[in-house]
């Protein structure tokens, strides 16, 4: 009973979050967890918070070990999943939480990532408004899904309703994100040290070089934009998880504040996991910690002529592992919300 | 030996920071510290970090108690200093760290603050590029100075060189700030509680309603703008102090990246307390903690057509108390850097 | 289908956590949420993280509003629940998360709390080793339960196996706790402000005056101690949730390290929510964030002659709301683990 | 004018803090800064908060580069300074901030560190009460000083007055410390990552294995203890700097609370940098951030029979670099407080 699951990269933060969510999922059962340098260890020694999975041990990340499961989640460093995925059965549902299968344009891939381009899989953000409907319809029953970049999907969810509804201009978008360091994974680099992050706000990838930029623009084109442009700046702040995206756009000429709000209301009125807050309310990342929820606040700044969208997500849940499972639910024909909570852990 | 000093509002965060800096200043000597509800207590019981001032006790905040000093610093809630200041001798140097004397326009005052407008004093941001020179020249030898709003001066310092140098457009400016909660003072309100701030990024005053907006635009007009517009969003993040402002502007037509950098270099080449970092370097708030320094990083995002300016300050030092003392130094005829450190306390 | 539930004090942190857990509980259904000053508001405006409960509004905390439910959880300030509880039907299961019904001794109550003593209800820490068994047996089928103090239950769980097993001495116990500020609730006091807590470690209630001390000693007497003594010091640190208790005790004469470990193993071998880590492993509070789990690490310091027990809990879950629901499960005849997760939200 | 200084290990946290303090010292002038992997870089690119030292570049850490200065501060990993120091002139004042020259006992060295034992230099904690006086007298005019371990000196300062005054027992001491991660330096290890530290309290070196234990006991023997024993547990908490030590000891038989307080008052009555707070007051680490101050709070818990001492220091200042400079001041014949601040940077 239930679908058998393997998680590759189970020793990392995204892998750990996948396992936390799968452990609470009634229809998914983890059989195999794989890792690289931690192979051979008990899972619980590497992920001591996953008490209910104390029976699992890590094995090597190989196609053999991943074979024979109904679902395989890949939570590997960028560049590692392309080749591995090619060796998995076409019948297996594979959800890649890395970047390897997100970008359609070979030029964008070359410019922002480099190395071999493995092509794009269906993008795992079900609520994304796209021309003719929502991304959801594209996900049902496929066997290959690219879970989104956490920053990219947050900004896309924030902006797409305005693009789709023609109430904002597609040029001159600006996104500034307060992000927790868990998005960087367990990478042992100086900027990721606690002493560097505590008590400080640290920008990185400033000036148009962040790898999530082409992914954002791709989503906006799906929503109807032609040649969108965005200034994108992430700022690491001292919270382990969370993304608070402050995204602004020029209001389209002749559009009223009511028109603007209506566009976002239309987009997300019936979405359990993407919710527009009432006028005057804005989200905090604590509200969505641990939840598969994206909360959105909206204001129109008449004096500045800009629409301000504030979006909050947990980068490891709605930004990564939750999006992966929500998309897997769709692909498996399960109710989309199965096993996912919309409630945050606050304070 | 030295100028005698009184600090009104010595029990608050801004007052405490003034005292920390004055205690290290060779030419200023604190004689009187005043407070409201804490009056009668030993200063050190209210500000236990100020060990060198254990001889001082708090007295009531009255014109009588503030009289007879060479310098009076006011660190009072907005609305409290206007009337009090009017009772102080014209010969006394008065530096107001509150908002009461920052805004020239009565309309702006009415729209963003309300209540009686006490008019504007000389604005205490010496390095600000203004038409015909720098704000510094206006400060020398005056007896009334308005110390800046922390967010406002940070954004103004970030943008004014581009306005002054005609390399950015004055419309459609966007500023998003990661700020520590100490800017809100000791106000006992729910959003200021530790449990609300820890582990979260919390926006406030979204959509063009923050009181520092008219102050920013005023500074930009001094720098040469005509009808500037700015979208301004502060986000509280879990660090006690610090402002990391990510400010973007459309590059002016036909301007090169070198032109852009040259404008900021020109503005701050010889400034000890406002420093432009080399290309590819961006500041962190930890770098300026406790220092009277504003560090600025600059990038031109060609694809987005925007100039990105990142500015880091300690909101209580360069944003408030340090600016007050730097300005007081000028007004008293002392070397401008006296008693102020440009080195941060990091990590 | 399911038991109907009311939560009194639903606007606070403990109340919010009860609701988060109840929302995920298959057999409990919230019908009524009450508050004091927030009465009349939508729950979701006060607890914006509880998205699945958007249909609830807060009503006044009165016996009338609480009547007619199968279960009533009280999450009220100390002193408020005694009188209210007396007005609830004897058939209703009432779980008090406040202190009013925890202390058996009238003298202890008078010395540490004062005011009217309402007597003690059954103490809601199922795993606690007590003479003749475990606290669990006392909880089944009662209608009145006192959920524990978060610090008190953590220290009791850490020490009781050693007392029960006669491997530590009952005098001269020492407990030092790193605690998050959410334990203090939404109380608007200066020490609870973010600026006071961020970047600092702040002790409070030092020197034997903390109210959880008699509660700890009471538990240790239940476990077999006669006249135990403990030095207890909590230190607030900058994390919203969590308790990391470092508890030490003199090893009993002639007891080996293996004897010591065996005592804790015996106590918790089959407990899902209180787990002893292997030798050389020690817990972190992040491992239990959001979980109903108490993780315990154990070492014997031969040179110092002391047993060192490190216990980690989430103060709002295993320390309060989770313990309340676990106990309610027992009292309602449900499987004890129903609706409660042992997995933490990390990182 | 002034003494010429070299700092070895200038790219690390301790080295950076030495430089921050030296930059504010009127009689010390940095000439040379050395590093290992960062050699060749501008200091300011590695330590971007040290704006006033923008003229310095890092050179290799060699005896040649360190030769010819009046004072050499060594801030190197343990094991690296022994050999290097042997090559420096006997006339040079050498202050070692590492562990290599702290421990007198070869057995202790072998048990807790291992490798070659270079013997002990004079221990750089001037205020430490020792038999016959204070450690200060031993420091004047020596040419070799071992700056203390941050945890060790904090606990020693907390306890030595009680030992020296015979008001506490020397056996069964217990110390639990909340510490910031900067004490671990820039070491790229998983437990030092921000995502591991944020939102969590993490114990380490539990059970009598921490290297600072023999250093503490050595200090207590200097203060008069014969065979002291201590249980010592550090807990990493999410603040970049700071140590909050909660240290308890059994009160000596027949000693009154007044006797206890008198012992600490006697020890530190005239010390600028080690201050006993009034009864009922306890320090926070924020009060000493950036300061060379150790604040001590004291309580007698009659019911538990223990004296509770709370000591707060900045691990990088009073715990390391400040202690080094304070000791150097003594050795150089300068006023002991020269260039050091007793005021913290709070909030």
């Amino acid at each position: 009973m239930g679908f058998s699951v393997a998680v590759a990269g189970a020793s990392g933060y995204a892998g750990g979050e996948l396992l936390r969510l799968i452990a609470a999922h009634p229809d998914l059962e983890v059989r195999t967890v794989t890792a690289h340098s931690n192979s051979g260890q008990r899972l619980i020694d590497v992920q001591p918070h996953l008490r209910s999975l104390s029976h699992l041990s890590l094995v090597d990340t190989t196609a053999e070990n991943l074979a024979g499961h109904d679902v395989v989640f890949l939570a590997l460093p960028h560049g590692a999943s392309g080749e591995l995925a090619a060796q998995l059965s076409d019948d297996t549902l594979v959800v890649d939480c890395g970047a390897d299968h997100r970008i359609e344009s070979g030029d964008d891939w070359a410019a922002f990532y480099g190395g071999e381009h493995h092509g794009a899989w269906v993008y795992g953000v079900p609520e994304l408004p796209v021309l003719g409907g929502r991304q959801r319809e594209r996900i049902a029953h496929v066997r290959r899904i690219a879970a989104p970049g956490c920053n990219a999907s947050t900004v896309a969810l924030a902006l797409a309703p305005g693009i789709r509804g023609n109430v904002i201009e597609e040029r001159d978008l600006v996104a500034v994100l307060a992000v927790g360091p868990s998005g960087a994974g367990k990478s042992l680099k100086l900027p990721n040290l606690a002493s560097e992050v505590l008590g400080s706000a640290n920008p990185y990838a400033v000036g148009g070089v962040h790898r999530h930029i082409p992914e954002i623009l791709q989503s906006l084109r799906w929503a109807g934009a032609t040649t969108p442009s965005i200034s994108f700046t992430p700022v690491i702040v001292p919270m382990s998880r969370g993304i608070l995206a402050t995204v602004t756009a020029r209001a389209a000429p002749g559009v009223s504040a009511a028109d603007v709000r209506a566009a976002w209301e239309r987009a997300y009125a019936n979405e359990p996991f993407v919710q527009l807050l009432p006028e005057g309310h804005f989200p905090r990342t604590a509200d969505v910690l641990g939840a598969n929820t994206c909360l959105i606040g909206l204001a129109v700044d008449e004096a500045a002529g800009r629409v301000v969208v504030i979006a909050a997500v947990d980068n490891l849940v709605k930004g990564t592992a939750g999006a992966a499972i929500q998309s897997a639910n769709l692909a498996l024909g399960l109710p989309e919300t199965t096993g996912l909570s919309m409630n945050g852990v606050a304070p």
Side-chain angles (χ1 to χ4, degrees), chain A:
Chain A
M1 30 126 304
F3 297 95
S4 64
V5 172
V7 174
S11 59
Y13 293 145
E17 192 67 0
L18 280 164
L19 290 167
R20 183 179 76 85
L21 297 174
I22 293 168
H25 194 292
D27 298 311
L28 299 181
E29 190 185 343
V30 195
R31 295 268 173 80
T32 301
V33 288
T34 82
H36 183 60
S37 59
N38 293 112
S39 176
Q41 290 193 260
R42 294 195 313 157
L43 175 67
I44 210 172
D45 289 341
V46 177
Q47 305 276 22
H49 61 298
L50 298 177
R51 308 312 301 174
S52 77
L53 303 178
S54 59
H55 55 291
L56 295 174
S57 287
L58 294 158
V59 296
D60 284 335
T61 303
T62 63
E64 288 72 36
N65 284 332
L66 298 175
H69 299 82
D70 297 319
V71 191
V72 173
F73 291 99
L74 303 175
L76 302 170
H78 120 73
S81 54
E83 205 175 335
L84 189 66
Q87 304 174 57
L88 299 176
S89 160
D90 289 350
D91 296 337
T92 302
L93 172 59
V94 183
V95 186
D96 187 358
C97 294
D100 288 19
H101 302 95
R102 290 183 199 146
I103 304 292
E104 295 180 332
S105 155
D107 288 350
D108 279 351
W109 182 264
F112 283 85
Y113 289 90
E116 192 182 353
H117 184 219
H118 293 274
W121 292 351
V122 170
Y123 192 63
V125 183
E127 303 89 348
L128 194 68
V130 295
L131 288 174
R134 277 197 184 66
Q135 183 66 10
R136 167 173 297 119
E137 294 96 48
R138 303 178 181 174
I139 300 173
H141 306 301
V142 298
R143 297 290 95 180
R144 293 291 184 275
I145 298 170
C150 53
N151 300 309
S153 60
T154 305
V155 174
L157 286 168
L159 285 173
I163 296 290
R164 188 78 189 75
N166 293 310
V167 298
I168 58 172
E169 299 194 6
E170 68 176 50
R171 304 286 299 172
D172 216 19
L173 306 165
V174 178
V176 180
L177 286 73
V179 301
S182 60
K186 292 188 174 175
S187 173
L188 296 176
K189 294 180 181 164
L190 185 62
N192 295 341
L193 285 190
S195 298
E196 302 290 312
V197 170
L198 284 160
S200 192
N202 305 345
Y204 75 100
V206 179
V209 299
H210 196 284
R211 286 171 163 170
H212 285 185
I213 292 173
E215 189 179 331
I216 294 168
L217 297 178
Q218 172 177 277
S219 290
L220 298 183
R221 284 191 300 267
W222 292 338
T226 310
T227 54
S229 75
I230 190 163
S231 167
F232 174 91
T233 311
V235 177
I236 296 181
V237 300
M239 57 189 189
S240 58
R241 298 176 172 223
I243 295 174
L244 198 287
T246 301
V247 191
T248 68
R250 282 205 298 268
V255 161
S256 72
D259 294 338
V260 169
R261 180 158 284 271
W264 270 263
E265 275 170 356
R266 242 183 349 257
Y268 300 132
N270 299 307
E271 294 294 345
F273 293 135
V274 183
Q275 302 190 16
L276 179 66
L277 299 180
E279 188 141 13
H281 288 67
F282 298 92
R284 312 169 307 164
T285 62
D287 297 331
V288 295
L289 189 112
N292 193 47
T293 305
C294 175
L295 291 183
I296 293 180
L298 187 68
V300 179
D301 183 340
E302 309 269 7
R306 287 185 87 88
V307 175
V308 185
V309 192
I310 311 270
V313 304
D314 182 324
N315 55 307
L316 291 177
V317 191
K318 187 59 182 162
T320 306
I325 288 170
Q326 183 182 353
S327 296
N329 285 341
L330 283 166
L332 295 169
L334 296 169
E336 187 176 331
T337 59
T338 310
L340 295 167
S341 175
M342 64 173 74
N343 293 339
V345 181

